[in-house]
Amino acid sequence: MVRNLMIILMLMVAVAASGCTAEANIDEPISLGLLYPGEIERVDRMEVMSGSTGEKKMFDDAGQVQSWLKSIQDIELTVSLDQSKKDGFLYSVSLFEGDKKTMGFTPNFIDDKYYETDERVVEAIEVLFEKQ
């Protein structure tokens, strides 16, 4: 009887430990390139909207779009511990393949998950937005 209880207790500890390990892996830093649902090299157009003014700018030069994406796609993003809903945004970026919108994100929100704001992403968006 004691032996059976020990086996059950050890199994429970093993299951709990494996659950903790799996959850830790979920929140490892990840890049925009890996979050993109498909091949990011196929993006040929994007729209950027300023959250403060509502102004929208369309970028339809595929070379410019790809150059910009390459400059930010490997920046590692860290999931925010605070996943509570937030109001407003600095910029919103929509990516397109042809006429199909394939992904939308803000500097701190991608795919229904909040990330710590990385100033390199914000700066890249600002530079792009102010260029045009």
Side-chain angles (χ1 to χ4, degrees):
M1 171 98 163
V2 172
R3 183 170 184 230
N4 288 343
L5 285 174
M6 289 298 289
I7 291 172
I8 291 172
L9 181 60
M10 288 184 350
L11 285 172
M12 289 175 63
V13 169
V15 168
S18 68
C20 291
T21 303
E23 190 162 315
N25 291 337
I26 291 171
D27 294 336
E28 289 180 4
I30 190 165
S31 68
L32 177 65
L34 291 176
L35 287 168
Y36 186 77
E39 297 176 38
I40 201 163
E41 297 81 18
R42 297 179 133 205
V43 174
D44 57 4
R45 190 166 67 93
M46 66 184 184
E47 179 183 86
V48 180
M49 183 169 83
S50 167
S52 59
T53 66
E55 180 182 5
K56 292 181 182 180
K57 293 186 178 181
M58 184 62 74
F59 299 87
D60 54 10
D61 176 331
Q64 178 188 27
V65 169
Q66 279 301 308
S67 176
W68 185 81
L69 286 172
K70 284 180 184 166
S71 75
I72 68 159
Q73 73 181 13
D74 293 327
I75 295 174
E76 289 196 332
L77 305 170
T78 304
V79 174
S80 174
L81 296 177
D82 179 8
Q83 290 293 310
S84 61
K85 184 170 174 13
K86 294 157 185 60
D87 293 327
F89 57 90
L90 293 172
Y91 293 95
S92 171
V93 178
S94 297
L95 304 179
F96 296 83
E97 291 180 22
D99 290 332
K100 181 183 176 196
K101 180 178 174 181
T102 54
M103 181 181 202
F105 65 93
T106 70
N108 69 335
F109 188 74
I110 304 172
D111 202 22
D112 294 327
K113 193 177 281 188
Y114 287 98
Y115 292 85
E116 296 297 326
T117 301
D118 188 307
E119 291 304 317
R120 295 173 294 176
V121 174
V122 174
E123 184 179 321
I125 297 171
E126 285 175 343
V127 168
L128 178 71
F129 194 80
E130 296 305 320
K131 254 183 171 177
Q132 186 173 4

